[in-house]
Amino acid sequence: MKNSFDLIVLGAGSGGLAAAKRAASYGAKVAIVEGDRVGGTCVIRGCVPKKLLVYGSLYGEYIKNANSFGVEFTDARIDSRVLLTNVRKEVDRLNKFHIEFLARSGVELIKGWAEFTGPNSILVKDTHEEANFRELQSSRILIAVGGRPNRPDIKGASLGWVSDDMFLQERFPEKIVIVGAGFIACEFACILNGLGSKVIQIVRGSRLLRGFDSDLAEVLKKDMQLKGIDLYFDQEPIAIDRNKGGIGITTSAGQFVDCGGVLFAIGRTPDIQRLRLDVAGVKSSKQKIEVDMNHMTNISNIFAIGDVTSRVNLTPVAIDEGRTFADSVFGNKKRSVNYELIPQAVFSQPEIGTVGLDEDNAIEKFGENGIKIYSSRFRPMSKSLSKRGENCFLKLIIETRSQKIVGCHMVGEHASEIIQMAAIALGMGATKADFDRTMALHPTISEEFVTMT
Ligand code: NAP
């Protein structure tokens, strides 16, 4: 068993896997260390199983709208046990696929938790047998261990779930309280609502999705409320107690809610505590590892990518950072990640897709008179027979001087798919005239983007 490598990657999530395989493709001797399941947050307990739950939960709406299309369901019911079981099977398949792919790529997978014993050395403790150690040496080490969900510091917090726990449930409860107003809170509120649970979402501020364009958040809020999701704004949980078979949550506004489960979706923190970064001399600030544009920490042979840094914490960013690192360091193809115009989606119902500046940031950058807004709100054709269901909202923000589109935002069906394509145009510097010159594709939702006046 060799213990000396050209690269040791800590963490077999999306970023770590991408970096390890790319480095190995250049002939580097690579090991990847993982204490949990190969695949990381995105594949095992994040984007992938979440999106499968989204697909499952959409059937709730389809069933409600079906009779206007002449489709009758006499015994339609949603069983979250079946959905959760099938999602776990798919996650198992992907986990196996990633393990096999590592082997095919020539990367050695070392199972266990890693800690630094020096700037070039790592101790791996076997996940199951604490007494089983392995010492590894490497000329370069890449930290890609990702993050863990936060829990609030309140009485009874351990009675609540975090997003990881949602995928381990046998079935979802009839009534759930979700704390938070970010990506995870809004996505799970819509998933659980679609699967038939009563959802109460507790938001400490006065709006959803701080950091996103406020018009998008407002459209989503109204549609979530129309679907029966109760949003309690301007309050936070202060205590959780066991309560006749379920749990009870008390809020700062004096409300008390009985429910079958509480999900905390209040942000994530890098999972760096057990790495013993101090032993290697790696600096962190506010629990995030500081890196330069080459992903290098303050120690020149130690690098970090993905959610352990203060950059944008999204899977595609971590993957691109991992590949860029490997190309630059092992492939002699120096390049850097383009952090401009990163498209983002919230897989809520309706879905949100966005790229570029929101209205507040555009005003801050160009001034009130420096931008022009175009927007359109309508009921999509797919809902015209049922006359119920989600609306669409499209918004373009133009910088008046250059006429460039600096923000392209959407709420509604297929928003993520549409905005992914719009991001290409924005990245090429598209102007309003470029959009206007593009022939509409009819009848679609996205044709509105090229016909806005
Ligand atoms: P998030 O988007 O940062 O949102 C955190 C939410 O929790 C905010 O609404 C915040 O309120 C609230 N909050 C924070 N501390 C709180 C407290 N003590 N009590 C009550 N509320 C509190 O975090 P997240 O939804 O947990 O998601 C974590 C990360 O996962 C995201 O940043 C993203 O990188 C990733 N993610 C991405 C996707 C996607 O791409 N579709 C989906 C899921 C997750 P304020 O607004 O007042 O601060």
Side-chain angles (χ1 to χ4, degrees), residues 159-192:
L159 296 173
W161 297 316
V162 292
S163 52
D164 298 0
D165 303 316
M166 299 306 282
F167 306 104
L168 305 174
Q169 300 300 313
E170 193 199 336
R171 70 169 79 193
F172 289 131
E174 282 173 22
K175 186 174 175 188
I176 185 164
V177 169
I178 297 181
V179 182
F183 287 87
I184 296 178
C186 292
E187 290 178 344
F188 268 104
C190 296
I191 289 169
L192 272 288

Side-chain angles (χ1 to χ4, degrees), residues 220-236:
L220 177 64
K221 179 184 96 177
K222 290 205 172 113
D223 275 344
M224 284 172 67
Q225 286 172 325
L226 272 176
K227 285 179 178 201
I229 296 171
D230 289 343
L231 296 167
Y232 293 3
F233 288 102
D234 300 310
Q235 51 193 297
E236 39 191 321

Side-chain angles (χ1 to χ4, degrees), residues 115-150:
E115 63 181 52
F116 282 94
T117 49
N120 291 92
S121 55
I122 293 286
L123 182 72
V124 182
K125 292 180 180 168
D126 190 293
T127 319
H128 303 294
E129 291 177 51
E130 281 286 313
N132 209 353
F133 297 109
R134 188 167 160 192
E135 288 255 17
L136 310 174
Q137 298 285 328
S138 183
S139 39
R140 291 186 182 87
I141 296 172
L142 177 69
I143 305 168
V145 296
R148 291 274 172 208
N150 300 340

Side-chain angles (χ1 to χ4, degrees), residues 276-292:
R276 304 208 57 200
L277 293 176
D278 53 316
V279 174
V282 175
K283 273 195 200 154
S284 60
S285 162
K286 295 185 186 152
Q287 303 196 64
K288 302 210 171 211
I289 298 176
E290 293 171 16
V291 285
D292 67 10

Side-chain angles (χ1 to χ4, degrees), residues 242-308:
R242 278 197 200 286
N243 183 21
K244 37 178 176 52
I247 46 185
I249 182 161
T250 310
T251 79
S252 53
Q255 305 229 45
F256 181 81
V257 189
D258 274 324
C259 58
V262 175
L263 167 63
F264 296 116
I266 59 168
R268 297 173 61 86
T269 304
D271 196 15
I272 56 176
Q273 292 72 19
R274 66 183 130 212
L275 291 179
R276 304 208 57 200
L277 293 176
D278 53 316
V279 174
V282 175
K283 273 195 200 154
S284 60
S285 162
K286 295 185 186 152
Q287 303 196 64
K288 302 210 171 211
I289 298 176
E290 293 171 16
V291 285
D292 67 10
M293 286 311 285
N294 300 316
H295 318 291
M296 191 191 284
T297 68
N298 60 305
I299 306 296
S300 62
N301 69 301
I302 302 179
F303 299 78
I305 55 162
D307 290 8
V308 293

